[in-house]
Amino acid sequence: MSEQRISLSLSGLLTVVGSVLLLVVLWQLRSLLVILMVSVVLAASIAPMVDWAERYRVPRWLGAISAYLLIFLALTGVGLVIGPTVFEQIEQLIRQLPAYAETLRSLIEQWVLRISDTRPELIRQLLDTQSLTNWVIRSSQQVVLRSYGITRGILGGVFSLVLSVFIAGYMLADSQTLVRGFVRLFPKPWDDRLAAQVGPISQRMGGYIRGRLLVSVVLGIATTAGLSFLGLPQYALGLGAIAGVTNLIPFLGPILGAIPALVVALAQGGWLVVWVLILFVIIQNVETYILDPLLVGSSVGVHPLYQLLSVLGGVQLLGILGAVIVPPWFAGASVLVEQLYLRPKLIAERRAASLPRPPQPAPPLPEHLPN
């Protein structure tokens, strides 16, 4: 009995030590883990193109290279057509930011003085435009820096992106060998069960990213057209590009994309801010009730509350990058939960309910019958 107790204690101690060492190693390799997360998301997004080429007897490595070339040519073409105008308008917006902040301060000061007797000096101290402008710029930089801070700076971020693209291409070219080698680490029957889930996981992760990209493109075009119609053609393309990029972030993206346009509309004065607000409300409702359920919701299969929590958790961990890549991983993990736990549990419950119940014994008769 004592020997068995000692062996159990040693095994438990080794398990704890091994778990701690594993956590330490994973923490040291966190940059590599982020690169792998991005690579898997990229591979899942491009996989349908490679699978389509493979059906026509095109080797997977050639299909992966062709897919990369098509994407590169498309991005280059879009960048050459609208890139200079977008960067010019965004640069002009940044230059005009102090002037817009001063205009907003004056408007707020007028509103406050109308409803209270607060001294103008106190309002100017509370609404220091220079300090607010610097705070906005610093906060934006910190949010962006967190996205690549884990990769040791801008140069490390560019290198990590290139490495992620290379690893994703290798995953696409030899996916079957990689999957077989990974699932062999698990005992039977879990190896076959996990291998069967690779396809659904890839479809859900890739479908999320492709749907999110398509929604962002549609909303960016709609925002540009709407702002041009409302009288902001000098900033419409830049603001539309900002709205399209921020819409890659679910839930929070539309709000972030509307803020610059509302600031410009407030500085312009008049009823323009009302019309811009109505425009973004309409766009937000179209996204929430039409585009997201049609293009994203059908591929995710996760409750919106859980999606929001995954976005917030991704922002806390990796900044903007986490808000983009953590939700598809969460959607992929939900496939494992559904297929390996919820569905077997439901089948077992239905099977138990369909079995005939054993006859219940009759209740005992009372010892003394009433007269």
Side-chain angles (χ1 to χ4, degrees), residues 339-352:
Q339 300 294 330
L340 300 183
Y341 174 71
L342 295 180
R343 179 169 292 183
K345 177 175 176 292
L346 180 60
I347 293 175
E349 291 175 351
R350 290 179 177 176
R351 185 176 302 171

Side-chain angles (χ1 to χ4, degrees), residues 52-369:
W52 177 83
E54 189 179 21
R55 287 197 293 268
Y56 292 91
R57 301 183 182 278
V58 177
R60 289 192 67 86
W61 64 268
L62 183 58
I65 294 176
S66 302
Y68 275 145
L69 288 177
L70 289 175
I71 295 173
F72 177 76
L73 291 175
L75 293 178
T76 303
V78 172
L80 291 176
V81 172
I82 67 173
T85 305
V86 169
F87 285 112
E88 181 182 354
Q89 292 186 3
I90 292 177
E91 184 180 0
Q92 186 177 356
L93 279 171
I94 294 175
R95 289 199 304 265
Q96 294 294 327
L97 186 59
Y100 290 152
E102 182 64 27
T103 303
L104 292 176
R105 186 194 63 78
S106 300
L107 291 174
I108 295 174
E109 181 179 341
Q110 294 176 7
W111 292 339
V112 173
L113 290 176
R114 288 179 182 177
I115 62 177
S116 67
D117 297 330
T118 307
R119 293 179 301 172
E121 295 81 6
L122 181 59
I123 299 175
R124 295 190 183 97
Q125 292 177 1
L126 295 175
L127 300 175
D128 187 356
T129 55
Q130 186 65 31
S131 300
L132 288 175
T133 303
N134 294 334
W135 176 81
V136 170
I137 295 176
R138 286 196 307 270
S139 300
S140 302
Q141 290 175 347
Q142 289 175 0
V143 171
V144 176
L145 285 172
R146 184 177 295 180
S147 299
Y148 62 80
I150 196 171
T151 57
R152 303 295 189 269
I154 298 178
L155 185 60
V158 174
F159 175 76
S160 299
L161 179 60
V162 174
L163 186 59
S164 299
V165 173
F166 177 79
I167 295 176
Y170 189 85
M171 290 178 177
L172 289 170
D174 201 15
S175 59
Q176 295 180 356
T177 304
L178 291 174
V179 171
R180 285 197 300 266
F182 176 74
V183 298
R184 286 175 62 186
L185 299 174
F186 297 88
K188 287 186 175 297
W190 289 102
D191 53 351
D192 296 333
R193 294 178 182 176
L194 291 175
Q197 305 309 319
V198 172
I201 290 174
S202 176
Q203 293 176 4
R204 185 167 292 190
M205 295 177 69
Y208 174 87
I209 292 296
R210 291 189 298 270
R212 197 78 251 164
L213 286 172
L214 188 56
V215 169
S216 297
V217 170
V218 172
L219 294 184
I221 295 174
T223 302
T224 301
L227 293 177
S228 299
F229 177 77
L230 292 178
L232 293 174
Q234 69 275 22
Y235 299 125
L237 195 57
L239 293 172
I242 293 174
V245 172
T246 56
N247 266 283
L248 291 173
I249 305 174
F251 304 102
L252 305 179
I255 299 175
L256 297 176
I259 291 175
L262 291 174
V263 170
V264 174
L266 277 171
Q268 298 289 335
W271 286 90
L272 182 60
V273 62
V274 177
W275 293 115
V276 170
L277 181 60
I278 293 174
L279 171 66
F280 276 94
V281 169
I282 293 174
I283 290 176
Q284 172 66 21
N285 281 272
V286 170
E287 177 191 5
T288 303
Y289 297 106
I290 299 178
L291 295 180
D292 271 349
L294 182 64
L295 301 177
V296 182
S298 58
S299 61
V300 174
V302 180
H303 193 277
L305 177 59
Y306 298 143
Q307 295 183 45
L308 176 59
L309 293 177
S310 66
V311 171
L312 296 177
V315 172
Q316 290 291 326
L317 292 175
L318 302 172
I320 296 177
L321 178 63
V324 176
I325 67 171
V326 170
W329 271 90
F330 190 85
S334 68
V335 175
L336 295 178
V337 176
E338 292 173 3
Q339 300 294 330
L340 300 183
Y341 174 71
L342 295 180
R343 179 169 292 183
K345 177 175 176 292
L346 180 60
I347 293 175
E349 291 175 351
R350 290 179 177 176
R351 185 176 302 171
S354 62
L355 294 176
R357 295 183 178 180
Q360 299 293 330
L365 295 176
E367 296 182 0
H368 301 283
L369 295 176

